[in-house]
Amino acid sequence: MEPCPPGREVTDFQFKLFSSVRVFPAIDYQNFFNNPSNTVTASNKHGLLIVGTPTGFQIVNLAQFVSPNAAEFLNECTDYPRREYNINAQPSHIALNCDETLLSVAHQSSDNAPLVRIYKMASLTNQSKNKVVKIPLGPPGTCIMDFSWNPVIPDLLSVCVSNGCLCLYSHDDTGKKLTMLPPEKRLSQIRVRTKLSRYH
């Protein structure tokens, strides 16, 4: 095996804008999303962008934005191909697991309690019937503070709830493999390290 070439410092990165699209109608997004970056994720495996909207989420094929016709998606284009999923709620967090087979969408339920929906990416990409696992995570009046899939174990999801509870969910089709550390632990943040997850 040949040795790796020596590293070199690069400071002149250049980025080209391929397209600019408006995901939802002109609104003050800060009134809808406390942290908009938590509601955007990309799948390299499937070539998809998944982004939250005020009533759910949408899935966009990234290939169309780097194709020869990408110029038509400049200037905040609003007419672009996508699939929209209405869950009648505003997501607070959207994330893919480490092998990009599961998509999690967190939001407040109708009784103002934190809820996570787990979708199989295979059903979303081939537009088959979407089987959703719904996981209630806390009492009414609480919300999700932090949210992360394990970087090594594909079916393990960690969620911090505002009452200080840490929820560890191991995915199966029943949604019942849930372990909780009590609110007395006062956990509020998840820190992820390579092959390790630390909770504070």
Side-chain angles (χ1 to χ4, degrees):
M1 180 181 294
E2 295 183 2
C4 295
R8 63 187 181 90
E9 183 177 359
V10 178
T11 58
D12 58 343
F13 286 106
Q14 296 184 5
F15 300 91
K16 180 180 179 180
L17 178 65
F18 281 103
S19 57
S20 175
V21 299
R22 182 174 289 279
V23 175
F24 41 80
I27 58 174
D28 182 1
Y29 70 85
Q30 292 180 342
N31 290 334
F32 285 86
F33 299 102
N34 292 328
N35 191 341
S37 63
N38 287 339
T39 58
V40 178
T41 189
S43 169
N44 294 320
K45 180 178 180 179
H46 301 287
L48 300 173
L49 178 70
I50 304 161
V51 57
T53 67
T55 58
F57 64 97
Q58 61 180 240
I59 297 180
V60 182
N61 190 330
L62 289 172
Q64 64 194 345
F65 297 132
V66 294
S67 69
N69 298 323
E72 65 186 80
F73 298 116
L74 290 172
N75 302 319
E76 294 195 1
C77 172
T78 58
D79 184 18
Y80 58 94
R82 74 266 198 183
R83 295 199 302 275
E84 299 197 29
Y85 297 84
N86 186 1
I87 61 174
N88 294 315
Q90 168 197 318
S92 62
H93 296 75
I94 293 178
L96 285 164
N97 69 338
C98 64
D99 65 359
E100 300 186 8
T101 58
L102 299 172
L103 174 71
S104 53
V105 179
H107 62 89
Q108 296 297 107
S109 65
S110 57
D111 60 351
N112 196 31
L115 179 74
V116 173
R117 296 169 180 249
I118 307 290
Y119 297 84
K120 290 185 177 180
M121 282 299 294
S123 68
L124 295 175
T125 54
N126 61 23
Q127 301 187 51
S128 61
K129 185 177 181 180
N130 299 317
K131 184 175 182 180
V132 183
V133 177
K134 298 180 182 180
I135 313 160
L137 293 175
T142 60
C143 62
I144 292 174
M145 302 294 291
D146 204 0
F147 180 95
S148 179
W149 285 98
N150 188 285
V152 177
I153 305 172
D155 61 354
L156 186 60
L157 176 68
S158 306
V159 183
C160 280
V161 183
S162 60
N163 63 357
C165 180
L166 173 68
C167 304
L168 300 176
Y169 169 68
S170 181
H171 177 71
D172 68 359
D173 290 336
T174 68
K176 295 180 180 178
K177 291 187 176 180
L178 186 66
T179 303
M180 293 189 179
L181 293 179
E184 291 75 18
K185 298 295 184 180
R186 305 305 303 170
L187 300 171
S188 62
Q189 186 180 28
I190 301 169
R191 291 188 179 181
V192 178
R193 297 288 185 266
T194 303
K195 297 187 179 180
L196 292 174
S197 295
R198 296 177 60 191
Y199 307 101
H200 298 270

